[in-house]
Amino acid sequence: AEQTMAKIDAARENYRPAGLRSAILYFVLNDLVAIDPMYQFALEAYVILFTHSIKLSKDKKIAVNNIEERLEDLNQFHALAVYKYGCRAIFERHKLVLSLHLCTRVIRSQNDLNESEYMFFLLGGVVLDRSSQPANPAPDWISQQM
């Protein structure tokens, strides 16, 4: 019985990265409520979607050589399923925001997102603290708003 429990624990630990990715994807959908209060996704429906992804991703692959390949297939299949599921529920004008949010959250979870570049992308070249800036060299033709 203890050997069986050890095997089950080891198998469960192998799938932890897929669980982490699915949690990230759920919270991406959950964050959409900040765009429009109508965009609310139930955890129960998401669990059904994840279970469906597990089943269908296994069915689409003929043979899996190792656990890493299985995790990659599962993560890719489920990310696409979440995107399609989310796109069915949101307005056309918000689909690009969903795509960006999905990508940045996944990249951030892999520690591959340069936060300063991402914040520059979101906020633009806005200077919040002008105390460290040099004085305006030509105030007569360069306004402070530039």
Side-chain angles (χ1 to χ4, degrees), residues 68-119:
E68 289 82 17
E69 189 177 322
R70 172 72 179 125
L71 289 174
E72 185 63 28
D73 285 347
L74 178 59
N75 284 338
Q76 287 181 2
F77 191 90
H78 186 60
L80 182 60
V82 167
Y83 177 73
K84 288 178 180 178
Y85 179 75
C87 283
R88 263 187 263 135
I90 63 177
F91 293 123
E92 189 69 31
R93 66 179 181 257
H94 296 139
K95 290 180 182 177
L96 195 56
V97 174
L98 173 62
S99 300
L100 177 68
H101 197 45
L102 276 169
C103 291
T104 55
R105 289 295 178 166
V106 169
I107 293 170
R108 182 180 281 159
S109 74
Q110 297 167 343
N111 293 324
D112 287 339
L113 184 68
N114 184 326
E115 290 292 332
S116 61
E117 289 177 2
Y118 182 60
M119 292 310 292

Side-chain angles (χ1 to χ4, degrees), residues 6-7 60 139:
K7 287 180 183 178
K60 83 169 184 80

